[in-house]
Amino acid sequence: MGAGLVGGLAAWLATRLGLLAFTLLVSSFLVYTLTVLVPGDPALALFRARFGEGVPAERLQLEAIRRETGFDRSIPEQYALWLGRALQGDLGQSFTKRRPVMPQIVSRLPVTLALTLGALAVALVLAIPVGALAARSGAWTRLVLGVTQLGLSIPDYVLALVLMLTFAVKLAVLPVSGWQTPAALILPLATLAFRPWATFTRLVMAGFDETLRSDWVRTARAKGLPERIILTRHALPHTLLPVVSLLGASASGALAGGLVAEVIFAIPGVGRLLYEAIGERDIPTVQACLLIQVSLAVLANWAADLAARQLNPLLRVPE
């Protein structure tokens, strides 16, 4: 029995790892092909980055650049070479900065991860008490529903600008930009946390409302079980399951919204590097940034799936 269970768990884990690897492979192919197929000649972009916008490009010079960079090959061949180098930690060389992209990603990635994880942590920590209070107190329900609807509707860039104008320009109580001090992180974290907070809060409200109306909760109360124990040990784990399942998708959204926050608040993360590279048509840097962000999103969804299985005993049984 024990050997069969271990074998089943090993088979399940191998299947999940295989799906993860396949998803990352397909994502990397889409990242590469979509950036290469964008209108415009990448060889011309590299030529202009090297010699300036005003220098006319000769056909022979462009052909030499295509042979040098591999742009003269078919897209599958280009992708295979690019993927092979990426697996060895080589994400290419920046067209504009003329240095490897990987060190730039490594220096900026901790900032993006701290911003994303911090925003999700703030959203989750605030969503649980607010959602539980709104589910238990009808007086707060409409207010919380209205605020969460605003959080789900307002775009990140609009929220960022409103927060900046209100707290940094008008009231002058917070810095306009930067990230070195805790005060400077408040506005970016608020921008990124508002939407996931609204989503988590609604899930917590629905979960608590359903759980507190269930027969087993009424039975526990009839037996004299303290309300605190009912809420923390029984209702909360049941309520957190859909929230944890949604954490992966929320991480993907936070990574995408991080570009907006990093650009508006001048935070030196991967999102800002991507924004600058798109403006400069720096294809290797764009590909590297997109690859990192897509990979992080895929890994976040995979981790959320594993966490959901740990919370729900019914999902721990190998398929």
Side-chain angles (χ1 to χ4, degrees), residues 57-76:
E58 301 291 338
R59 181 177 61 84
L60 294 179
Q61 291 175 311
L62 295 179
E63 290 179 355
I65 290 177
R66 292 189 187 98
R67 287 193 300 270
E68 174 191 343
T69 57
F71 289 136
D72 60 333
R73 305 189 183 191
S74 65
I75 289 181

Side-chain angles (χ1 to χ4, degrees), residues 87-119:
L87 292 175
Q88 299 175 23
D90 180 9
L91 295 178
Q93 187 167 7
S94 170
F95 284 176
T96 56
K97 298 180 177 64
R98 300 186 184 182
R99 61 175 186 264
V101 178
M102 191 64 178
Q104 302 178 58
I105 298 287
V106 171
S107 65
R108 292 171 179 254
L109 186 58
V111 178
T112 296
L113 288 178
L115 198 61
T116 302
L117 296 177

Side-chain angles (χ1 to χ4, degrees), residues 137-226:
S137 174
W140 289 94
T141 303
R142 290 185 179 180
L143 176 61
V144 172
L145 286 176
V147 176
T148 55
Q149 183 61 46
L150 179 64
L152 296 173
S153 304
I154 186 171
D156 290 334
Y157 67 91
V158 174
L159 177 62
L161 292 175
V162 169
L163 292 176
M164 178 183 289
L165 290 173
T166 303
F167 295 99
V169 178
K170 296 293 185 182
L171 300 178
V173 294
L174 292 173
V176 175
S177 61
W179 65 285
Q180 292 86 352
T181 62
L185 289 176
I186 293 177
L187 294 183
L189 285 176
T191 300
L192 291 181
F194 195 32
R195 184 181 298 272
W197 170 82
T199 305
F200 296 160
T201 300
R202 290 203 165 200
L203 287 175
V204 171
M205 286 176 59
F208 266 101
D209 184 68
E210 178 185 357
T211 302
L212 295 178
R213 293 174 183 269
S214 62
D215 293 336
W216 63 268
V217 169
R218 285 195 292 267
T219 303
R221 285 171 174 164
K223 291 182 176 180
L225 195 65

Side-chain angles (χ1 to χ4, degrees), residues 8-315:
L9 288 172
W12 174 83
L13 184 59
T15 302
R16 286 296 181 272
L17 289 174
L19 289 174
L20 174 64
F22 177 75
T23 305
L24 290 173
L25 181 65
V26 172
S27 301
S28 67
F29 179 76
L30 291 175
V31 164
Y32 185 84
T33 54
L34 290 177
T35 51
V36 170
L37 294 176
V38 168
D41 187 355
L44 180 59
L46 179 54
F47 176 86
R48 289 175 175 171
R50 287 179 176 178
F51 303 106
E53 294 288 338
V55 179
E58 301 291 338
R59 181 177 61 84
L60 294 179
Q61 291 175 311
L62 295 179
E63 290 179 355
I65 290 177
R66 292 189 187 98
R67 287 193 300 270
E68 174 191 343
T69 57
F71 289 136
D72 60 333
R73 305 189 183 191
S74 65
I75 289 181
E77 288 180 296
Q78 293 181 46
Y79 168 70
L81 292 173
W82 175 78
L83 180 63
R85 292 193 298 266
L87 292 175
Q88 299 175 23
D90 180 9
L91 295 178
Q93 187 167 7
S94 170
F95 284 176
T96 56
K97 298 180 177 64
R98 300 186 184 182
R99 61 175 186 264
V101 178
M102 191 64 178
Q104 302 178 58
I105 298 287
V106 171
S107 65
R108 292 171 179 254
L109 186 58
V111 178
T112 296
L113 288 178
L115 198 61
T116 302
L117 296 177
L120 291 177
V122 169
L124 187 59
V125 169
L126 294 179
I128 293 175
V130 173
L133 178 63
R136 297 187 62 198
S137 174
W140 289 94
T141 303
R142 290 185 179 180
L143 176 61
V144 172
L145 286 176
V147 176
T148 55
Q149 183 61 46
L150 179 64
L152 296 173
S153 304
I154 186 171
D156 290 334
Y157 67 91
V158 174
L159 177 62
L161 292 175
V162 169
L163 292 176
M164 178 183 289
L165 290 173
T166 303
F167 295 99
V169 178
K170 296 293 185 182
L171 300 178
V173 294
L174 292 173
V176 175
S177 61
W179 65 285
Q180 292 86 352
T181 62
L185 289 176
I186 293 177
L187 294 183
L189 285 176
T191 300
L192 291 181
F194 195 32
R195 184 181 298 272
W197 170 82
T199 305
F200 296 160
T201 300
R202 290 203 165 200
L203 287 175
V204 171
M205 286 176 59
F208 266 101
D209 184 68
E210 178 185 357
T211 302
L212 295 178
R213 293 174 183 269
S214 62
D215 293 336
W216 63 268
V217 169
R218 285 195 292 267
T219 303
R221 285 171 174 164
K223 291 182 176 180
L225 195 65
E227 191 73 11
R228 178 179 58 83
I229 301 298
I230 294 176
L231 292 175
T232 56
R233 295 188 182 179
H234 300 286
L236 183 59
H238 176 78
T239 303
L240 285 181
L241 181 59
V243 176
V244 171
S245 301
L246 197 64
L247 269 175
S250 299
S252 304
L255 285 169
L259 185 149
V260 174
E262 289 175 9
V263 171
I264 292 178
F265 296 107
I267 298 175
V270 177
R272 187 178 179 189
L273 179 63
L274 173 61
Y275 174 80
E276 295 170 350
I278 291 174
E280 298 168 349
R281 193 164 168 70
D282 189 350
I283 294 178
T285 304
V286 171
Q287 291 172 339
C289 292
L290 288 177
L291 178 65
I292 293 298
Q293 291 194 333
V294 170
S295 300
L296 289 175
V298 171
L299 290 172
N301 280 279
W302 187 72
D305 178 61
L306 292 181
R309 289 177 175 272
Q310 289 300 314
L311 286 176
N312 190 346
L314 296 177
L315 297 178

